[in-house]
Amino acid sequence: MSAIPVADDVLDADVAVLPLAEVAELIGLSVNKVRQLLRDGQLLAVRRDGDLMVPADFFVDGQAVKGLTGLLTVLADAGFSRTEMLRWLYEADDTLPGSTPINALRTNHGTEVKRRAQAMAF
């Protein structure tokens, strides 16, 4: 997988992000375990002001959004870099419920999002 992208290059400034310590507290893991999730491609992070941050949209009710890990695997298998994954997750798409892939995932439309990700691989 590619290096962690800089947020200014990938995400709009209005996208809320959480530092790793907050992510760890939110999901009940150590910061080291969160770093492992990042290394394993189960979460994505960006750098803002030199610090690693994870988009707040990746979490609902104290856990990762259902289907996010599987979607990231599909995108990685399709050859997407981490930067491309983040851009795609936040890309406007009026044909999706929620208008972006990450919002569609958050509203339990993961099957459609994953189907589209798989279709892009071919």
Side-chain angles (χ1 to χ4, degrees), residues 67-80 85 113-121:
L68 178 64
T69 300
L71 177 62
L72 295 177
T73 299
V74 168
L75 292 171
D77 289 349
F80 276 58
M85 288 180 202
V113 175
K114 193 171 180 180
R115 185 193 65 73
R116 291 183 187 202
Q118 288 169 328
M120 290 186 313

Side-chain angles (χ1 to χ4, degrees), residues 5 8 16 20 23 26 28 35 39 49 53 59 72 77 81 84 86 98 104 110 112 118-119 121:
D8 296 338
L20 297 191
V23 171
L26 178 68
R35 288 183 187 279
R39 280 191 298 275
D49 299 322
M53 306 283 206
F59 305 98
L72 295 177
D77 289 349
S81 69
E84 291 167 332
L86 281 165
E112 177 61 16
Q118 288 169 328

Side-chain angles (χ1 to χ4, degrees), residues 1-4 37-44 72-77 80-83 85:
M1 288 230 161
S2 62
I4 293 173
L37 293 173
L38 292 170
R39 280 191 298 275
D40 292 345
Q42 295 179 19
L43 276 180
L44 296 175
L72 295 177
T73 299
V74 168
L75 292 171
D77 289 349
F80 276 58
S81 69
R82 291 175 189 221
T83 299
M85 288 180 202

Side-chain angles (χ1 to χ4, degrees), residues 2-89:
S2 62
I4 293 173
V6 177
D8 296 338
D9 298 336
V10 181
L11 298 178
D12 290 336
D14 62 341
V15 174
V17 292
L18 303 171
L20 297 191
E22 281 187 44
V23 171
E25 185 177 327
L26 178 68
I27 61 177
L29 296 174
S30 70
V31 173
N32 285 338
K33 290 282 188 187
V34 173
R35 288 183 187 279
Q36 186 64 50
L37 293 173
L38 292 170
R39 280 191 298 275
D40 292 345
Q42 295 179 19
L43 276 180
L44 296 175
V46 292
R47 287 200 184 274
R48 281 201 178 155
D49 299 322
D51 295 323
L52 283 177
M53 306 283 206
V54 177
D57 292 331
F58 287 5
F59 305 98
V60 173
D61 297 329
Q63 49 190 305
V65 171
K66 181 181 174 187
L68 178 64
T69 300
L71 177 62
L72 295 177
T73 299
V74 168
L75 292 171
D77 289 349
F80 276 58
S81 69
R82 291 175 189 221
T83 299
E84 291 167 332
M85 288 180 202
L86 281 165
R87 283 190 179 130
W88 185 78
L89 283 166

